[in-house]
Amino acid sequence: MTSIPVDMKAGSQTMRRALPQSLVAWLFLAPAAVIFAVVLIYPMTYSAWLSLFQWDGVSPNKVWVGVENYVELFTANRVFWIALKNNVFWSLLSLVIPTGIGLGLALLLNTAFRGSSFFRSVFYFPAILSMSIVGLIWSWMYHPTLGLINQSLAAIGLTGLENNWLSDPSIALYSVFVAATWHNAGLPMLLFLAGLQTIPKEVMEASRIDGATRLQSFWFVTFPMLRETTMVVVAITAINSLKVYDIIYVMTYGGPANRTQVLGTWMYFLTYNHNEVGLGTAIAVILFGLTLFFAIPYTRHMVRN
């Protein structure tokens, strides 16, 4: 009865000796690698391939145009430049405003006071909603006659500040960004809060004993010790800001007059509304390249640490 397990163990050891260790590792990784290639690599490669054709998405014939779609986007497509500028603007604001609000809330809520857990939940709550729901909520708040914002301004006598928040081309993108900020500040707050709680109390007490003010303690002690957390927050925020799509689609549909288009929405409209699959997938490739600009340093940093 005992000879069978011994034989099996000996056989297993013999097999391990026969197979190089790297081959064993590849055999274990193979199922995940196949799924990754089918679900991610193939669609990305095929999209990049389609960007080299002129195709309406229905016809069986695709016309090879090489890099002409890219040339057209950069030289003749006015809305593409509006979308690219809006994406850059959106990303810069996202790195400053929601991240700053999240850090401020984390510093406030890191102190022990009664009800701090309740306020943490309240401020994090918008982050668990989908962007589509956030867009619907704020679309009603911005309604010109029935919305909470205009009615509140009228109630306190500031009728001059009433506006068509989503119909005015000069402020529509800012209005959508405010709604996105309400949603996006929760995750940085949570990450910064987790980072703050890893800072030893002795370090903060030592800075106070040395006579540092609150601002000096934050700038010379707290903020440097949040460097890892800050890097994670910045990378996640930058990548998410480049992917902005749904809240623009729900609140303005890219309007008025394409003033709130971003690369994600313009890619969708070109592909599915204008049947310009080549141009749409070319935008997808450009967006992918921009995302890699932030994703590669972030991934390398995470792997090293």
Side-chain angles (χ1 to χ4, degrees):
M1 297 217 20
T2 56
S3 63
I4 295 174
V6 170
D7 292 343
M8 290 176 64
K9 186 177 179 181
S12 175
Q13 289 174 344
T14 304
M15 183 179 290
R16 280 204 293 270
R17 283 192 217 103
L19 292 174
Q21 193 170 1
S22 60
L23 180 59
V24 175
W26 276 106
L27 287 174
F28 279 107
L29 287 172
V34 169
I35 294 172
F36 185 78
V38 172
V39 175
L40 197 64
I41 301 297
Y42 171 72
M44 289 168 53
T45 307
Y46 187 61
S47 295
W49 174 248
L50 287 179
S51 71
L52 304 176
F53 290 87
Q54 185 180 29
W55 185 41
D56 61 6
V58 179
S59 170
N61 299 319
K62 306 181 187 71
V63 180
W64 170 266
V65 294
V67 295
E68 192 176 308
N69 286 325
Y70 295 91
V71 175
E72 181 177 340
L73 283 175
F74 283 104
T75 60
N77 196 304
R78 183 182 62 85
V79 181
F80 170 76
W81 280 106
I82 294 174
L84 182 60
K85 187 185 74 172
N86 285 343
N87 248 119
V88 172
F89 181 71
W90 187 283
S91 298
L92 292 176
L93 285 184
S94 297
L95 289 173
V96 176
I97 298 178
T99 305
I101 293 174
L103 177 60
L105 289 173
L107 290 170
L108 286 174
L109 296 173
N110 191 45
T111 55
F113 64 93
R114 193 172 185 179
S116 61
S117 299
F118 170 76
F119 285 107
R120 289 176 189 175
S121 303
V122 167
F123 289 122
Y124 184 68
F125 173 73
I128 66 174
L129 300 176
S130 77
M131 274 293 196
S132 301
I133 294 174
V134 173
L136 286 173
I137 293 171
W138 280 82
S139 293
W140 275 105
M141 291 180 66
Y142 283 133
H143 194 281
T145 55
L146 303 175
L148 175 67
I149 295 176
N150 276 355
Q151 288 196 353
S152 299
L153 291 171
I156 58 177
L158 298 175
T159 53
L161 295 179
E162 292 182 42
N163 212 319
N164 292 324
W165 302 100
L166 300 178
S167 303
D168 186 339
S170 62
I171 61 170
L173 188 65
Y174 301 103
S175 303
V176 179
F177 184 80
V178 170
T181 299
W182 181 72
H183 173 274
N184 292 338
L187 181 59
M189 179 200 75
L190 198 67
L191 294 173
F192 279 125
L193 198 54
L196 286 170
Q197 292 179 357
T198 63
I199 299 175
K201 292 181 180 177
E202 294 79 7
V203 177
M204 302 305 298
E205 289 171 357
S207 69
R208 292 193 196 100
I209 292 171
D210 288 343
T213 63
R214 285 180 179 274
L215 183 61
Q216 289 171 328
S217 293
F218 168 76
W219 189 249
F220 294 109
V221 179
T222 305
F223 195 62
M225 297 189 76
L226 286 175
R227 188 169 63 91
E228 297 292 329
T229 306
T230 304
M231 186 166 181
V232 172
V233 170
V234 167
I236 292 175
T237 302
I239 293 170
N240 287 339
S241 65
L242 289 172
K243 295 190 302 181
V244 59
Y245 164 79
D246 35 15
I247 194 166
I248 298 284
Y249 185 91
V250 170
M251 292 186 71
T252 64
Y253 204 64
N258 290 317
R259 300 303 299 177
T260 60
Q261 291 283 7
V262 290
L263 291 178
T265 54
W266 190 228
M267 174 184 66
Y268 174 85
F269 289 131
L270 280 176
T271 304
Y272 296 105
N273 290 13
H274 300 277
N275 293 329
E276 296 280 1
V277 176
L279 288 174
T281 50
I283 293 179
V285 172
I286 294 168
L287 197 53
F288 176 69
L290 291 174
T291 306
L292 285 182
F293 180 76
F294 294 99
I296 289 177
Y298 169 68
T299 307
R300 290 184 64 185
H301 176 78
M302 295 301 291
V303 169
R304 285 177 181 173
N305 290 277

